[in-house]
Amino acid sequence: MTKLRKLLLVATAISGMVTATASPASAAYNDDFTVPTLTPGNCGSSPAGYAYFIDWGEGGLADPAWNDDYIVLRDTCRDGDGIIAFAFLNSEFLGERYNGKGFDGFVVWDPFAAVGNVDANQNVSIRVCSVNGQYGEPYDCNRIWYVSRDG
């Protein structure tokens, strides 16, 4: 085999590896979105809390492995009430999670673990509300529907 032919084979193999590793990153889309509670009077002009849908990122403290498709609940009001979120995938109820940790407390929750990864064109819906205690009546609720682009 000639030197030129060997160089061409090596160059072809390297360009194939670069293309193979570069393609997935360029095709990815960040589907993160945020759902705030409606603004109650006792929190001024700010929402009482948020549910953040994380498409890709580091998991919770109990499981620091990298994962995707989970929700972070954050309480942002010093009113003594918590927040609660309800998750749906393609209109199927996946569960609820309460955050009663107080002001600026975070709860990491993966309601999608049982169904696996959220795939492209699936409808993710999150409803987040203020609530007085874990079993209290939810109020100031807000809901967002989002169609996943990359899964």
Side-chain angles (χ1 to χ4, degrees):
M1 186 180 287
T2 67
K3 256 189 187 180
L4 180 57
R5 188 168 179 183
K6 284 181 186 176
L7 287 173
L8 286 174
L9 285 172
V10 170
T12 303
I14 290 173
S15 69
M17 286 189 291
V18 169
T19 302
T21 57
S23 294
S26 63
Y29 183 86
N30 184 350
D31 280 319
D32 289 1
F33 67 92
T34 301
V35 186
T37 62
L38 295 180
T39 306
N42 56 350
C43 288
S45 60
S46 299
Y50 296 86
Y52 305 99
F53 174 78
I54 308 298
D55 180 43
W56 186 83
E58 190 169 356
L61 298 176
D63 180 12
W66 287 90
N67 62 25
D68 64 0
D69 303 333
Y70 62 95
I71 296 171
V72 177
L73 300 173
R74 180 178 177 209
D75 187 335
T76 57
C77 185
R78 296 179 193 266
D79 62 355
D81 287 353
I83 61 168
I84 191 167
F86 306 87
F88 303 82
L89 184 64
N90 295 325
S91 299
E92 179 184 337
F93 179 64
L94 299 179
E96 63 185 63
R97 184 58 52 102
Y98 170 69
N99 177 353
K101 292 186 173 185
F103 176 72
D104 216 22
F106 291 85
V107 170
V108 177
W109 173 41
D110 187 358
F112 310 101
V115 295
N117 190 39
V118 174
D119 294 324
N121 300 314
Q122 287 190 310
N123 188 336
V124 176
S125 177
I126 299 172
R127 179 177 179 232
V128 64
C129 309
S130 293
V131 65
N132 187 347
Q134 184 171 4
Y135 303 106
E137 186 68 30
Y139 65 95
D140 293 325
C141 298
N142 191 17
R143 185 172 185 169
I144 291 182
W145 289 265
Y146 182 84
V147 178
S148 177
R149 293 186 189 183
D150 74 348

